[in-house]
Amino acid sequence: PRAVSTSRPSTRNTGQTTAHAPHLAQAKAQENLHGDKKEIAWGSQIRSYILQPYRLIKDHRTDLEEGNVDAVLDGRLDPFIKAFLLWQPKE
């Protein structure tokens, strides 16, 4: 016997398509903004928080290291933000 497959469009009329279009455009814009995403795996983190045996936070993109762990954990992220804004990705 032959297999029969059927499909239907996700939208049925122009009104639904028009209502859904902004969501599709926003999703595409987000995709373009973030570019290629890396696989989430061990060793692909952006930042390391080392709390024992010594205390250090290291941003692996910018190579910024911060020893004042308590300040960063309290939300003082200015050094990381500044370093990221000045950072030039490796091509």
Side-chain angles (χ1 to χ4, degrees):
R2 291 187 178 159
V4 176
S5 96
T6 61
S7 66
R8 68 172 188 84
S10 61
T11 56
R12 292 179 175 246
N13 63 41
T14 306
Q16 287 177 333
T17 304
T18 304
H20 193 60
H23 300 292
L24 293 174
Q26 182 180 10
K28 188 68 172 173
Q30 287 291 327
E31 183 180 307
N32 290 340
L33 176 67
H34 296 295
D36 294 332
K37 296 198 180 230
K38 291 184 176 181
E39 180 182 338
I40 298 171
W42 182 259
S44 66
Q45 70 270 15
I46 293 171
R47 204 171 292 128
S48 294
Y49 294 79
I50 303 156
L51 304 176
Q52 299 234 346
Y54 55 94
R55 296 168 64 81
L56 177 74
I57 298 176
K58 180 173 181 176
D59 188 316
H60 297 285
R61 294 173 298 185
T62 63
D63 290 327
L64 175 70
E65 294 183 0
E66 179 65 48
N68 191 354
V69 173
D70 293 322
V72 174
L73 293 176
D74 285 339
R76 292 186 214 127
L77 301 173
D78 291 339
F80 292 99
I81 294 169
K82 183 178 179 182
F84 178 74
L85 293 173
L86 296 173
W87 169 63
Q88 298 295 319
K90 297 172 186 166
E91 303 264 345

